[in-house]
Amino acid sequence: MIDKNLKNLMKLHQEKITNFVVKLLILSELSFFILGISSTLITTEEFWIFSHSFSILGALELFYKEKEFTLFLLIFIFGVSAPLLKMLLKIFNLKFMVAFLHRFTFLDIFLVAILIYVAKSSSIIDADVGVGFWYLLTALAISYLQIFIIFITNKQELIENPLEVDVY
């Protein structure tokens, strides 16, 4: 009886520590994400003379001013709103929505990589990633670290109590 109570107490303590670590990681992810969307994402150089720096928030402002509403909405939804909503849902532990939104977040990192590849293959334009790219990549890495920690915790629980764990 005492052994079972001690195990339950240890399990409860472990869950509290895991939840605290995950919440701390979510706040770190949110911080790096905000830094990433507001910092320089990419810098382009044309003819080795003209240099332009872009951030996600700067791109949103430009697309709105230029009445490019389709591009504005795409970047706003997939580059800003979906990641922010995903982080907020993770804070409130709404797993079903987080799993859905996780598929659509951080597409901007992929698009920046394609843009840099195209620019590097051109002899007229050169492009380099800015600090915002690294902030966003760090936020993405922290997001996957959270998933890993939750997976390891659930796996350990599944091994100890195979019939009591909610796998989905």
Side-chain angles (χ1 to χ4, degrees), residues 17-101:
I17 290 173
T18 302
N19 286 337
F20 176 75
V21 168
V22 168
K23 299 287 187 209
L24 190 63
L25 287 172
I26 293 169
L27 292 176
S28 298
E29 177 188 5
L30 181 62
S31 300
F32 278 107
F33 178 76
I34 290 170
L35 284 170
I37 64 172
S38 58
S39 300
T40 300
L41 188 63
I42 190 169
T43 302
T44 60
E45 254 184 43
E46 300 167 36
F47 302 110
W48 305 280
I49 300 170
F50 304 107
S51 180
H52 303 284
S53 295
F54 303 96
S55 69
I56 292 178
L57 294 180
L60 284 173
E61 182 183 0
L62 176 70
F63 290 142
Y64 186 78
K65 284 180 181 177
E66 296 292 323
K67 295 184 176 32
E68 294 286 347
F69 297 119
T70 304
L71 292 172
F72 173 84
L73 284 174
L74 282 173
I75 291 175
F76 183 73
I77 291 169
F78 295 113
V80 178
S81 297
L84 282 175
L85 182 59
K86 182 186 79 165
M87 288 175 233
L88 291 174
L89 291 172
K90 282 196 286 189
I91 290 172
F92 297 110
N93 206 19
L94 297 172
K95 296 175 188 174
F96 65 96
M97 287 296 294
V98 171
F100 175 74
L101 285 173

Side-chain angles (χ1 to χ4, degrees), residues 126-143:
D126 189 26
D128 293 307
V129 294
V131 70
F133 177 83
W134 300 111
Y135 286 143
L136 288 174
L137 198 58
T138 302
L140 182 62
I142 291 171
S143 175

Side-chain angles (χ1 to χ4, degrees), residues 130-158:
V131 70
F133 177 83
W134 300 111
Y135 286 143
L136 288 174
L137 198 58
T138 302
L140 182 62
I142 291 171
S143 175
Y144 281 109
L145 179 61
Q146 294 163 33
I147 292 169
F148 179 73
I149 289 171
I150 292 168
F151 173 77
I152 292 298
T153 304
N154 286 341
K155 184 177 179 184
Q156 182 179 359
E157 226 176 288
L158 186 60

